[in-house]
């Protein structure tokens, strides 16, 4: 059974759901190795003085802000709703969605101000109050904000609310409930956060570099090709890299070039290089990186 070493850095990981899968894949790619026993919410890292703690995503910002754990991954929406003092180490680029004011399509609301003073149901009462307070002050009304923990989108159909404030990713659930967006409260994504008073700054900084390297390796690929001196400039304009391409002279007077390119642009860039005269064009996956 794993036991926590009091000298270890504590890393909070969402214990279930899509965010759990994203975070554990990221940590594996970043070289953070640990073994978690079934039904156990704690695991000791193999190569770092760090203990993984698996917690509900909604509670992680409270644990980090309260200094109970040193570092964790959760959503910006959760951090802002909790109102805890945490340091935002880096944005992780996944879990992107919006916290929106949604009203029934049939109500034909075009101005979110018309909902001030009405009944709003949400799982984010603090953020919702912060959004409606200026409107209430302007119009001299008080918006009735009611908290529910789940199935927020059903509230209007059940007659419990005039509108809801809920997260929207694809909009499928919203549309199925007959709702539409009439205002945006917050844009959110998953973030790496730490307690500003953590005594494990060195591990936090190491993790930042490892995770950043892994994220870069998922966004980019390495392209390599040969070219003559006459078209070298045209080719390097197509593949400028993150900083600059690597150019090596060949014994036949030509050049070998390698550069990072975005995965989404691979096919287009290969076509452009071939068109201007590059040859022997190869593309390689990246396992990890340090920039």
């Amino acid at each position: 059974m794993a036991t926590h070493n009091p000298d270890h850095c504590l890393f909070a990981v969402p214990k279930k759901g899509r965010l759990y899968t994203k975070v554990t894949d990221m940590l594996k790619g970043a070289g953070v190795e640990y073994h978690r026993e079934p039904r156990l919410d704690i695991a000791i890292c193999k190569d770092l003085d760090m203990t993984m703690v698996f917690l509900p995503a909604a509670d992680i910002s409270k644990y980090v802000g309260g200094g109970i754990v040193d570092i964790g991954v959760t959503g910006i929406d959760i951090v802002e709703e909790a109102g805890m003092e945490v340091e935002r180490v880096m944005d992780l680029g996944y879990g992107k969605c919006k916290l929106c004011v949604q009203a029934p399509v049939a109500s034909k609301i075009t101005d979110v101000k018309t909902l001030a003073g009405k009944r709003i149901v949400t799982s984010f009462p603090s953020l919702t109050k912060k959004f409606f307070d200026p409107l209430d002050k302007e119009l001299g009304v008080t918006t009735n904000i009611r908290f529910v923990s789940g199935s927020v989108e059903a509230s209007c159909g059940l007659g419990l609310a005039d509108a809801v404030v809920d997260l929207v990713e694809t909009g499928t659930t919203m549309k199925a409930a007959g709702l539409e967006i009439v205002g945006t409260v917050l844009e959110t994504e998953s973030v790496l956060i730490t307690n500003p008073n953590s005594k494990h700054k060195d591990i936090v900084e190491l993790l930042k570099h490892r995770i950043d390297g892994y994220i870069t390796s998922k966004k980019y690929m390495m392209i390599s090709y040969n070219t003559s001196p006459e078209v070298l400039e045209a080719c390097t304009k197509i593949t400028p890299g993150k900083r600059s391409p690597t150019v090596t002279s060949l014994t036949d007077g030509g050049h070998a070039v390698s550069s990072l390119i975005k995965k989404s642009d691979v096919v287009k860039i290969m076509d452009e290089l071939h068109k201007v005269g590059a040859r022997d064009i190869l593309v390689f996956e990246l396992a990890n990186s340090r920039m």
Side-chain angles (χ1 to χ4, degrees), residues 1 25 102 113 143-144 147 170 208 210 218-219 245:
M1 180 177 177
D25 286 349
Q102 306 165 40
K113 285 185 178 182
T143 300
N144 180 7
F147 171 81
T170 63
K208 178 182 177 182
R210 285 193 181 189
K218 296 294 104 182
K219 289 182 179 178

Side-chain angles (χ1 to χ4, degrees), residues 24-245:
T24 53
D25 286 349
M26 177 189 74
L27 291 173
K28 182 179 179 181
V32 178
E33 297 184 15
Y34 59 88
H35 174 68
R36 182 187 182 191
E37 295 287 347
R39 298 177 180 272
L40 199 60
D41 288 337
I42 190 169
I44 309 298
C45 285
K46 294 180 180 179
D47 63 339
L48 294 172
D49 292 333
M50 186 166 71
T51 300
M52 317 303 293
V53 185
F54 298 85
L55 301 168
D59 295 335
I60 287 176
S61 64
K62 296 175 185 176
Y63 278 91
V64 174
I68 300 168
V69 300
D70 299 280
I71 191 167
V73 176
T74 190
I76 295 172
D77 53 309
I78 300 297
V79 173
E80 294 295 327
E81 177 66 21
M84 302 296 292
E85 183 183 353
V86 299
E87 180 182 333
R88 192 160 147 183
V89 179
M90 62 187 301
D91 298 345
L92 299 175
Y94 52 77
K96 291 185 177 181
C97 54
K98 294 180 180 181
L99 184 63
C100 297
V101 181
Q102 306 165 40
V105 175
S107 64
K108 298 181 179 179
I109 294 173
T110 56
D111 187 349
V112 72
K113 285 185 178 182
T114 61
L115 290 170
K118 301 292 181 66
R119 300 170 302 157
I120 309 294
V121 165
T122 184
S123 298
F124 297 88
S126 295
L127 284 171
T128 301
K129 185 177 186 303
K130 185 177 179 180
F131 179 83
F132 277 100
D133 273 353
L135 301 180
D136 287 355
K137 185 176 180 180
E138 177 186 343
L139 299 172
V141 296
T142 301
T143 300
N144 180 7
I145 299 169
R146 183 178 300 176
F147 171 81
V148 297
S149 59
S151 300
V152 175
E153 71 282 347
S155 300
C156 291
L158 294 172
L160 300 176
D162 300 298
V164 301
V165 173
D166 200 12
L167 293 172
V168 178
E169 187 174 0
T170 63
T172 302
T173 302
M174 175 185 69
K175 292 174 184 175
L179 304 174
E180 63 182 354
I181 296 172
V182 295
T184 299
V185 176
L186 179 76
E187 292 189 2
T188 182
E189 66 176 286
S190 298
V191 289
L192 186 69
I193 58 173
T194 186
N195 184 285
N197 300 312
S198 172
K199 63 181 181 180
H200 298 286
K201 300 289 186 183
D202 54 339
I203 293 181
V204 172
E205 194 65 20
L206 175 63
L207 289 171
K208 178 182 177 182
H209 289 306
R210 285 193 181 189
I211 293 170
D212 187 51
Y214 172 73
I215 291 173
T216 297
S217 74
K218 296 294 104 182
K219 289 182 179 178
Y220 291 86
M221 299 183 77
M222 180 66 72
I223 192 165
S224 173
Y225 56 89
N226 294 334
T227 181
S228 66
E230 292 77 17
V231 298
L232 176 61
E233 184 178 353
C235 289
T236 54
K237 283 183 179 179
I238 297 170
T239 58
K242 287 200 74 175
R243 293 190 179 92
S244 65

